[in-house]
Amino acid sequence: NKVFKKEGNEVADVSGRIGEVFYQLADVNCRLWHEQEKVYEFETVPAEEKNKVVKQLAVLNLERNKCIDSINQQFSELIKR
């Protein structure tokens, strides 16, 4: 299961000015942290939910990467001005 691939995985849109994207990044980092907490005691996650946890981690990481890419792009554009 290649959930890390962008194809077939619904990832939230990242939009807005750099400050708004920083807010989105902080939000996704918080959600990612809470999901990661489940992995620290993965044996307590019911078997029928394990795949959901793994997929959610992958999707949140994709969203986090989109935020970082947007921040990098916008920051680069600011520097070039």
Side-chain angles (χ1 to χ4, degrees), residues 7-38:
E7 302 82 30
N9 291 302
E10 189 173 324
V11 180
D13 285 334
V14 173
S15 62
R17 298 177 70 172
I18 196 165
E20 295 165 314
V21 179
F22 267 110
Y23 173 81
Q24 288 177 288
L25 177 59
D27 177 64
V28 75
N29 278 338
C30 184
R31 290 184 286 136
L32 189 55
W33 178 262
H34 288 293
E35 205 64 26
Q36 182 63 40
E37 286 286 310
K38 296 174 186 175

